[in-house]
Short mmCIF file of all heavy atoms in Angstrom, two decimals:
data_model
loop_
_atom_site.label_atom_id
_atom_site.label_comp_id
_atom_site.label_asym_id
_atom_site.label_seq_id
_atom_site.Cartn_x
_atom_site.Cartn_y
_atom_site.Cartn_z
N PRO A 662 95.92 -208.18 -75.66
CA PRO A 662 95.40 -209.21 -74.69
C PRO A 662 95.27 -210.60 -75.25
O PRO A 662 95.42 -211.58 -74.59
CB PRO A 662 93.99 -208.51 -74.24
CG PRO A 662 93.69 -207.70 -75.34
CD PRO A 662 94.87 -207.02 -75.86
N ALA A 663 94.86 -210.75 -76.58
CA ALA A 663 94.65 -211.92 -77.17
C ALA A 663 95.90 -212.79 -77.22
O ALA A 663 96.12 -213.93 -76.72
CB ALA A 663 94.08 -211.86 -78.57
N LEU A 664 97.03 -212.03 -77.66
CA LEU A 664 98.42 -212.79 -77.82
C LEU A 664 98.88 -213.01 -76.42
O LEU A 664 99.48 -214.11 -76.22
CB LEU A 664 99.30 -211.85 -78.71
CG LEU A 664 100.64 -212.44 -78.84
CD1 LEU A 664 100.54 -213.78 -79.56
CD2 LEU A 664 101.62 -211.47 -79.67
N ASP A 665 98.80 -212.04 -75.49
CA ASP A 665 99.39 -212.27 -74.24
C ASP A 665 98.67 -213.39 -73.47
O ASP A 665 99.31 -214.17 -72.73
CB ASP A 665 99.34 -211.01 -73.38
CG ASP A 665 100.30 -209.93 -73.89
OD1 ASP A 665 101.17 -210.25 -74.66
OD2 ASP A 665 100.12 -208.78 -73.52
N ALA A 666 97.36 -213.42 -73.62
CA ALA A 666 96.66 -214.55 -73.01
C ALA A 666 96.98 -215.80 -73.53
O ALA A 666 97.13 -216.85 -72.81
CB ALA A 666 95.12 -214.31 -73.21
N LEU A 667 97.16 -215.95 -74.82
CA LEU A 667 97.54 -217.21 -75.46
C LEU A 667 98.85 -217.70 -74.96
O LEU A 667 99.01 -218.81 -74.67
CB LEU A 667 97.55 -217.05 -77.08
CG LEU A 667 97.97 -218.35 -77.77
CD1 LEU A 667 96.94 -219.45 -77.51
CD2 LEU A 667 97.94 -217.98 -79.36
N THR A 668 99.88 -216.72 -74.99
CA THR A 668 101.21 -217.14 -74.55
C THR A 668 101.19 -217.68 -73.09
O THR A 668 101.76 -218.61 -72.69
CB THR A 668 102.18 -215.87 -74.55
OG1 THR A 668 102.16 -215.33 -75.90
CG2 THR A 668 103.50 -216.26 -74.06
N THR A 669 100.36 -216.99 -72.15
CA THR A 669 100.27 -217.36 -70.80
C THR A 669 99.60 -218.76 -70.68
O THR A 669 100.09 -219.56 -69.97
CB THR A 669 99.45 -216.28 -70.01
OG1 THR A 669 100.06 -215.07 -70.08
CG2 THR A 669 99.24 -216.81 -68.48
N VAL A 670 98.41 -218.92 -71.40
CA VAL A 670 97.72 -220.21 -71.32
C VAL A 670 98.60 -221.41 -71.83
O VAL A 670 98.60 -222.48 -71.22
CB VAL A 670 96.40 -220.02 -72.12
CG1 VAL A 670 95.81 -221.52 -72.23
CG2 VAL A 670 95.52 -219.20 -71.34
N LEU A 671 99.38 -221.16 -72.86
CA LEU A 671 100.26 -222.12 -73.41
C LEU A 671 101.35 -222.53 -72.34
O LEU A 671 101.64 -223.67 -72.18
CB LEU A 671 100.93 -221.74 -74.72
CG LEU A 671 100.04 -221.71 -75.94
CD1 LEU A 671 100.68 -221.00 -77.17
CD2 LEU A 671 99.68 -223.11 -76.35
N THR A 672 101.90 -221.51 -71.82
CA THR A 672 102.95 -221.76 -70.76
C THR A 672 102.41 -222.56 -69.60
O THR A 672 103.07 -223.41 -69.14
CB THR A 672 103.52 -220.35 -70.26
OG1 THR A 672 104.02 -219.75 -71.43
CG2 THR A 672 104.66 -220.69 -69.32
N VAL A 673 101.25 -222.05 -69.12
CA VAL A 673 100.66 -222.75 -67.99
C VAL A 673 100.27 -224.19 -68.32
O VAL A 673 100.50 -225.17 -67.56
CB VAL A 673 99.40 -222.03 -67.44
CG1 VAL A 673 98.55 -222.84 -66.43
CG2 VAL A 673 99.71 -220.73 -66.83
N MET A 674 99.80 -224.49 -69.49
CA MET A 674 99.41 -225.73 -69.91
C MET A 674 100.72 -226.65 -70.02
O MET A 674 100.71 -227.76 -69.59
CB MET A 674 98.78 -225.76 -71.24
CG MET A 674 98.33 -227.11 -71.79
SD MET A 674 97.15 -227.93 -70.77
CE MET A 674 95.65 -227.03 -71.21
N ALA A 675 101.77 -226.09 -70.58
CA ALA A 675 103.07 -226.85 -70.73
C ALA A 675 103.53 -227.21 -69.38
O ALA A 675 104.00 -228.34 -69.10
CB ALA A 675 104.06 -225.98 -71.47
N MET A 676 103.47 -226.29 -68.49
CA MET A 676 104.05 -226.53 -67.05
C MET A 676 103.15 -227.55 -66.38
O MET A 676 103.68 -228.43 -65.61
CB MET A 676 104.08 -225.14 -66.26
CG MET A 676 104.69 -225.24 -64.91
SD MET A 676 106.50 -225.71 -65.05
CE MET A 676 107.12 -224.19 -65.79
N PHE A 677 101.79 -227.46 -66.52
CA PHE A 677 100.91 -228.49 -65.94
C PHE A 677 101.28 -229.89 -66.49
O PHE A 677 101.30 -230.88 -65.71
CB PHE A 677 99.50 -228.13 -66.22
CG PHE A 677 98.45 -229.12 -65.75
CD1 PHE A 677 98.18 -229.14 -64.44
CD2 PHE A 677 97.92 -229.92 -66.71
CE1 PHE A 677 97.28 -230.24 -63.94
CE2 PHE A 677 96.99 -230.93 -66.26
CZ PHE A 677 96.66 -231.02 -64.81
N LEU A 678 101.38 -229.99 -67.78
CA LEU A 678 101.68 -231.31 -68.46
C LEU A 678 103.05 -231.80 -67.96
O LEU A 678 103.28 -233.11 -67.90
CB LEU A 678 101.50 -231.25 -69.96
CG LEU A 678 100.25 -230.92 -70.48
CD1 LEU A 678 100.25 -230.84 -72.07
CD2 LEU A 678 99.20 -232.06 -70.07
#
Side-chain angles (χ1 to χ4, degrees):
L664 181 59
D665 289 346
L667 179 61
T668 303
T669 297
V670 170
L671 285 171
T672 303
V673 171
M674 181 65 73
M676 191 62 69
F677 175 76
L678 293 178

